[in-house]
């Protein structure tokens, strides 16, 4: 009798159902700064198209640090060197904090720095080391479509000269496309450092380090951290303005933190002549 072997072949398993993959957002948070920089590049290109004497520049944007309270943009000659060769290029820098002023104001800063750029290209001394903007700057600013602000204080004009500029209505109309592009790109603004809340993971300075050390000690010993006693033996501190501004501050606070004057942009220091 012949015996036959029969192999049972199972039915193939059905193909797994593919879940629908949700569409990714058109633009992620990581691209916000890149979008603003691209809009700034477009604006600078438009300015150079209307005023060919304005030189090329590397356009950058980041936090301006402590100077952001007063200095919202800058033009720096010959700051970038190519990796190959000896060619150097200028820098056009805009602080991230300046975005809080809106697109028109940011464009005004950009056009203001374009005045410095065109004066640099023409070999014109338009500004002193102390940031006094002279009449040559004023004339070049008018050429590029800027006017002097009407509400500038006498103190500001004495210290900074003709630095208080803003685009005319005709200028804003001429660059309406670029201002609109900036407005659409500014989808977020940066919180200034002096308003930011420090956290354990925020990496923030001596005061934050001391607070962390105290809380860790309390955790290790099972005790609440001791509250530090305030030093009320205040000292007189001055800046480098003429005449200097005067503040009264705890020596411990002055040693731990840099307190900067918004006018001369220098840190306050103990007035040795007060002894």
């Amino acid at each position: 009798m012949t015996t036959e072997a029969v192999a049972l072949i199972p039915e193939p398993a059905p193909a797994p159902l593919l879940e629908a993959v949700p569409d990714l957002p058109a633009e992620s948070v990581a691209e916000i700064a890149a979008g603003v920089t691209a809009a700034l590049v477009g604006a600078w290109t438009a300015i150079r198209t209307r005023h060919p004497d304005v030189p090329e520049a590397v356009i950058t944007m980041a936090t301006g640090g402590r100077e952001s309270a007063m200095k919202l943009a800058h033009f720096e000659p010959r700051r970038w060197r190519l990796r190959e060769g000896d060619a150097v290029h200028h820098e056009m820098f805009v602080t991230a904090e300046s975005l809080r002023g809106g697109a028109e104001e940011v464009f005004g800063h950009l056009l203001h720095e374009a005045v410095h750029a065109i004066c640099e290209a023409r070999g014109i001394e338009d500004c002193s080391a102390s940031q006094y903007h002279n009449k040559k700057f004023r004339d070049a600013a008018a050429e590029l479509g800027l006017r002097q602000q009407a509400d500038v204080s006498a103190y500001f004009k004495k210290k900074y000269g003709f630095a208080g500029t803003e685009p005319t209505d005709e200028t804003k109309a001429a660059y309406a496309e670029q201002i609109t592009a900036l407005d659409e790109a500014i989808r977020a603004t940066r919180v200034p450092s002096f308003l930011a809340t420090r956290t354990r993971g925020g990496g923030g300075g001596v005061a934050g380090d001391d607070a962390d050390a105290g809380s860790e000690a309390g955790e290790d010993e099972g005790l609440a951290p001791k509250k530090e006693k305030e030093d009320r033996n205040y000292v007189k501190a001055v800046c480098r303005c003429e005449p200097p501004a005067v503040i009264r501050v705890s020596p411990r606070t002055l040693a731990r933190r840099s307190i900067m004057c918004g006018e001369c942009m220098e840190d306050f220091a103990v007035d040795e002549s007060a002894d």
Side-chain angles (χ1 to χ4, degrees), residues 43-197:
W44 190 260
T45 301
I47 293 171
R48 295 191 63 239
T49 300
R50 293 176 65 88
H51 304 280
D53 284 357
V54 175
E56 287 186 312
V58 176
I59 312 296
T60 64
M61 186 195 72
T63 175
R66 292 188 303 167
E67 291 190 1
S68 294
M70 292 290 292
K71 192 174 182 180
L72 300 176
H74 73 229
F75 171 80
E76 290 285 352
R78 299 170 293 280
R79 279 301 182 94
W80 289 74
R81 183 180 301 277
L82 297 183
R83 292 181 64 181
E84 297 181 2
D86 296 326
V88 291
H89 293 283
H90 309 310
E91 174 182 82
M92 177 60 238
F93 175 81
V94 175
T95 70
E97 288 81 1
S98 70
L99 303 183
R100 301 172 72 215
E104 283 192 6
E105 189 171 308
V106 172
F107 184 82
H109 299 324
L110 199 69
L111 199 57
H112 178 109
E113 299 307 320
V115 177
H116 290 303
I118 204 170
C119 288
E120 168 67 24
R122 295 172 178 176
I124 297 174
E125 292 289 340
D126 65 333
C127 185
S128 69
S130 61
Q131 297 303 304
Y132 183 89
H133 294 53
N134 59 31
K135 292 182 179 180
K136 294 180 180 178
F137 174 89
R138 178 199 61 188
D139 296 341
E143 179 185 342
L144 266 66
L146 292 171
R147 64 187 173 199
Q148 293 295 311
Q149 295 175 348
D151 58 349
V152 171
S153 68
Y155 174 81
F156 181 95
K157 191 167 184 179
K158 180 179 179 181
K159 186 173 180 64
Y160 299 109
F162 300 95
T165 60
E166 63 183 2
T168 64
D169 293 338
E170 294 78 8
T171 301
K172 288 186 284 189
Y175 293 103
E177 180 180 347
Q178 287 72 37
I179 294 174
T180 298
L182 269 171
D183 183 62
E184 293 175 350
I186 301 174
R187 297 173 50 236
T189 58
R190 189 177 192 276
V191 178
S193 299
F194 57 85
L195 295 179
T197 301

